[in-house]
Amino acid sequence: MGFVRSLKKLMDGMIPSRDSNPTPIADGESPLTNKKIMKELINHFKFKLEEESFGDQMLYPMSYTVLMDATDYAERKDALGLVVKQTVSKFYEIIKDMQSEYSEYEPICNSWYFQFVPCYDAMLEGVTITRGSIRTMARLVPPDEGGANVSVEANVQVSMRLDNSNVISNVNLNPDVLKNIDSVGEGTFRVRFDKSLNTDKNKIQLNAKDEALAVLSYSREGKNYRYQMVDNLINISGRGETRKGRAFFIIENDDIINSHVQIRYENGKFQVAAFAPVKLNQRVMSISSGIPQWVDLANNSKIFFMDAMLAVIFTIKQD
C-alpha cells in the first residue's frame, strides 16, 4: 500500500475530507461541468508551458491524470472523450500562438495521454475529492511511452494543480502511485500528436486505452490475480524483477526468475518460450538459451512454474 501512503502524503492539506458516502452538491456550490474540466486542463497546460520552455524549445506536459469525485465521474464519463478532443484542439491553438517565441514546438513523445479517475474513499484511505472539484496531475511523458523494455526511474516529476487557483506543486512521485491509481479501464484516452497542429476536432482521433489481447491469471493464498496482456511481447518474471512497464507480468515469488517465460502475439497466433523450468499443459517445455524456442500457445492453456509450484492460466480475450 506504499502508493496509497505516498499519494495521501502528497494530497494531505490540499483535499478536504468528508463522509464515505458521496454528498449532494450544497446550495451555492458550483457543480462540475465539462467546461470546468476543460478549463482546468488548459490552465495547467499553459502554466507548465511557461515554466518548462527555454531557448527555442517549447516544453509542455503530454500526460494528464484527473482525480474526480466518484459521483461526478459517473455523471461526466460519457462526455470525457469529447472533452479530450476539445482540450487537445485548444492545446494546438496555444502552441501555435507561442511559436513566435519558441520555434521548436514538437514534444518528446508521440501521444497525448488523459486519465480520468473516480476517487473512492476506500481507494485513498479517506482522502477524497469534494463534489464539483477536481485535481489534475501532469507530467511531460505519458506512462510506457518510452517502450516496455526501458527502465523507469525511481521517481518521476509530477505537477499537481489545485482547481480555481494558480497553485501548482512540483513533486517527485514514485511511478507506482500513477500506475496503481488507474482503477478503471474506461476514462483513459490517447491522442496521437499532430505535427500540423490541426485544430479541427473531427481530425482529432481518440484511441481508448489499449485493448487486451489476452488475460493471465493465477490464485495464491485465497486471492485471485489477473494480468492483461496488451503488448505483442510480454515477460513473466518473479519478485527480483527490476524492470518496469506494462510488458512485465511480475509474480511475487522468489522461485520465478526474470523473464522466466515470454509470450508473444505474432501473425495472428500466440506463442510461448521458457527460460527456466516450466510445464505447458502438463508437458515439460524445452528451456531456451539466448534465442527463444517458441511453442504455440492455445486458449485456456496452463503454464505451470515447477519450482514455484504455481500455475498461470492463459486466456485469449474474445472480441
Side-chain angles (χ1 to χ4, degrees):
M1 296 298 290
F3 76 94
V4 172
R5 290 192 293 270
S6 298
L7 186 60
K8 187 176 189 302
K9 182 178 180 181
L10 171 66
M11 299 170 71
D12 270 346
M14 295 182 179
I15 303 171
S17 61
R18 56 171 173 79
D19 295 334
S20 58
N21 295 323
T23 56
I25 293 177
D27 291 340
E29 187 175 3
S30 175
L32 184 64
T33 62
N34 298 327
K35 185 181 292 185
K36 184 174 182 180
I37 297 172
M38 178 178 169
K39 178 182 177 182
E40 291 306 320
L41 287 167
I42 291 170
N43 285 341
H44 203 149
F45 174 85
K46 291 166 65 176
F47 186 95
K48 294 301 294 181
L49 186 153
E50 290 285 357
E51 181 179 76
E52 298 285 350
S53 299
F54 64 98
D56 295 326
Q57 181 65 59
M58 197 183 306
L59 270 181
Y60 42 83
M62 293 292 289
S63 176
Y64 298 86
T65 298
V66 181
L67 309 180
M68 307 169 65
D69 173 86
T71 302
D72 283 339
Y73 175 85
E75 294 176 353
R76 296 287 111 210
K77 66 178 183 179
D78 291 341
L80 293 176
L82 296 176
V83 171
V84 168
K85 293 181 73 169
Q86 294 284 336
T87 300
V88 170
S89 177
K90 185 62 178 178
F91 285 173
Y92 289 152
E93 288 183 13
I94 296 169
I95 292 171
K96 284 181 178 179
D97 289 341
M98 297 296 291
Q99 278 184 279
S100 59
E101 186 172 352
Y102 304 104
S103 57
E104 299 177 15
Y105 66 90
E106 291 186 23
I108 55 178
C109 54
N110 297 322
S111 299
W112 302 98
Y113 179 85
F114 294 86
Q115 183 182 38
F116 298 88
V117 181
C119 291
Y120 301 92
D121 288 344
M123 174 182 164
L124 297 179
E125 293 185 349
V127 177
T128 59
I129 308 294
T130 56
R131 288 292 309 275
S133 68
I134 62 173
R135 300 293 182 266
T136 57
M137 292 191 292
R139 53 184 295 199
L140 294 180
V141 180
D144 296 312
E145 187 69 28
N149 295 318
V150 177
S151 298
V152 178
E153 295 176 310
N155 294 286
V156 293
Q157 185 73 47
V158 174
S159 63
M160 173 170 276
R161 173 181 163 82
L162 295 178
D163 61 333
N164 295 325
S165 76
N166 287 322
V167 177
I168 291 189
S169 299
N170 294 315
V171 295
N172 285 316
L173 198 61
N174 189 299
D176 287 342
V177 174
L178 299 182
K179 178 181 69 176
N180 286 285
I181 201 172
D182 184 12
S183 61
V184 292
E186 61 185 0
T188 304
F189 304 91
R190 287 185 186 269
V191 179
R192 194 78 172 175
F193 181 82
D194 185 352
K195 296 180 181 180
S196 70
L197 305 177
N198 193 330
T199 57
D200 183 353
K201 286 81 171 179
N202 294 323
K203 301 294 184 181
I204 297 174
Q205 300 298 316
L206 299 182
N207 288 322
K209 191 172 183 177
D210 295 328
E211 292 293 331
L213 299 169
V215 175
L216 293 96
S217 59
Y218 69 95
S219 299
R220 187 186 64 184
E221 298 177 353
K223 295 182 179 179
N224 298 319
Y225 298 83
R226 285 168 56 87
Y227 167 86
Q228 297 196 77
M229 177 179 174
V230 175
D231 296 286
N232 289 338
L233 176 66
I234 66 167
N235 299 265
I236 303 180
S237 298
R239 197 195 310 272
E241 180 63 83
T242 58
R243 293 169 294 178
K244 303 291 184 180
R246 67 184 185 185
F248 292 92
F249 177 22
I250 298 176
I251 298 174
E252 294 295 324
N253 190 293
D254 292 326
D255 293 316
I256 298 176
I257 68 170
N258 293 352
S259 296
H260 197 117
V261 165
Q262 288 186 340
I263 297 174
R264 72 176 182 180
Y265 179 70
E266 190 171 272
N267 299 323
K269 66 179 180 180
F270 292 90
Q271 294 181 307
V272 59
F275 293 86
V278 162
K279 286 184 179 180
L280 176 63
N281 298 325
Q282 300 185 356
R283 298 186 64 177
V284 177
M285 293 188 64
S286 298
I287 297 178
S288 303
S289 177
I291 299 175
Q293 298 181 43
W294 296 108
V295 175
D296 288 349
L297 183 61
N299 190 25
N300 296 322
S301 288
K302 180 186 288 187
I303 303 169
F304 184 72
F305 293 81
M306 297 162 65
D307 293 337
M309 298 296 291
L310 183 146
V312 172
I313 305 301
F314 172 82
T315 307
I316 298 174
K317 195 75 177 287
Q318 302 299 319
D319 293 333

